C-alpha cells in the first residue's frame, strides 16, 4: 500500500492540508484513506449511546454499523498503542493512505509549516521530510511549496509514490 505523510508541529496547518489533499486526490479519481495520530485522549463515541454503554461495560471492541458507515472502536485497556504498521494493516486496499502526524516514523512526508506558530522546522534534521508546505518563503535543500498550493503538493506526493 502506498503511504505518504503530512507532519508538523501543532497549529502548522496539517489538518487543513490533509483535508485539501484528500479532496484533490479523490477528485482525480483515486481512492484515499487516512490515519491520524492524536497525542491526547479522544473519544468518537457519546456518553449514554448504546455503543458507549457497551464499552463502559467492558467490551474490548465495539463495531457500530449502519447503511452509511461502519466504525470500529477498540479499547486498549492498558495494552500498548498499536504501531503505525499494525494500523495500516487494518485498512482496506486503496490507492493512497495519507498519514497525519507520526513525525518519528520512517515513511516519506511533507512538513506543514506556519511562521506564526513560532516553532522550528523539522525538515533540516529529518531526511524523511521530502518537501515543506509553508506560508512563508524558505530556502531549503528540498522543495518548498506554498501551504495553500494544494494542486502542486498533490502532484508532488503522487509523483513520489508513483501514481
Amino acid at each position: 500500500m502506498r503511504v505518504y505523510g503530512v507532519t508538523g508541529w501543532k497549529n502548522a496547518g496539517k489538518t487543513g492540508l490533509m483535508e485539501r489533499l484528500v479532496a484533490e486526490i479523490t477528485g482525480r479519481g483515486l481512492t484515499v484513506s487516512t490515519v491520524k495520530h492524536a497525542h491526547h485522549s479522544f473519544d468518537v463515541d457519546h456518553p449514554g449511546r448504546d455503543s458507549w454503554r457497551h464499552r463502559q461495560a467492558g467490551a474490548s471492541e465495539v463495531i457500530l454499523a449502519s447503511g452509511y458507515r461502519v466504525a470500529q472502536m477498540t479499547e486498549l485497556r492498558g495494552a500498548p498503542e498499536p504501531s503505525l504498521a499494525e494500523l495500516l494493516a487494518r485498512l482496506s486496499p486503496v490507492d493512497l493512505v495519507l498519514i497525519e502526524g507520526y513525525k518519528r516514523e520512517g515513511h516519506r512526508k511533507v512538513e506543514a509549516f506556519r511562521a506564526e506558530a513560532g516553532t522550528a522546522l523539522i525538515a533540516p534534521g529529518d531526511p524523511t521530510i521530502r518537501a515543506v508546505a509553508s506560508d512563508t518563503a524558505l530556502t531549503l535543500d528540498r522543495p518548498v511549496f506554498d501551504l495553500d498550493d494544494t494542486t502542486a503538493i498533490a502532484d508532488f506526493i503522487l509523483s513520489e509514490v508513483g501514481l
Side-chain angles (χ1 to χ4, degrees), residues 23-115:
E24 174 72 23
I25 295 168
T26 59
R28 297 180 188 194
L30 298 170
T31 56
V32 177
S33 289
T34 65
V35 175
K36 183 198 180 341
H37 189 258
H39 291 283
H40 50 81
S41 178
F42 68 91
D43 205 337
V44 296
D45 210 356
H46 302 285
R49 305 299 297 183
D50 294 349
S51 53
W52 181 88
R53 292 171 60 192
H54 296 180
R55 288 189 305 126
Q56 294 306 306
S60 296
E61 292 187 314
V62 175
I63 295 178
L64 184 59
S66 76
Y68 298 99
R69 69 190 52 89
V70 174
Q72 180 175 355
M73 294 167 279
T74 303
E75 290 295 318
L76 296 179
R77 303 205 189 280
E81 179 179 342
S83 69
L84 179 57
E86 291 169 322
L87 295 173
L88 291 171
R90 295 179 184 186
L91 293 175
S92 299
V94 291
D95 295 315
L96 178 66
V97 178
L98 289 174
I99 300 167
E100 182 178 342
Y102 289 95
K103 286 182 206 64
R104 293 170 192 86
E105 294 289 332
H107 60 280
R108 294 174 288 182
K109 307 168 191 78
V110 169
E111 178 178 358
F113 179 79
R114 278 201 181 122

Side-chain angles (χ1 to χ4, degrees), residues 1-21:
M1 193 161 2
R2 293 174 172 123
V3 301
Y4 213 91
V6 173
T7 195
W9 299 112
K10 183 178 180 180
N11 297 321
K14 297 180 302 292
T15 301
L17 179 56
M18 285 281 292
E19 180 181 12
R20 293 189 311 273
L21 286 170

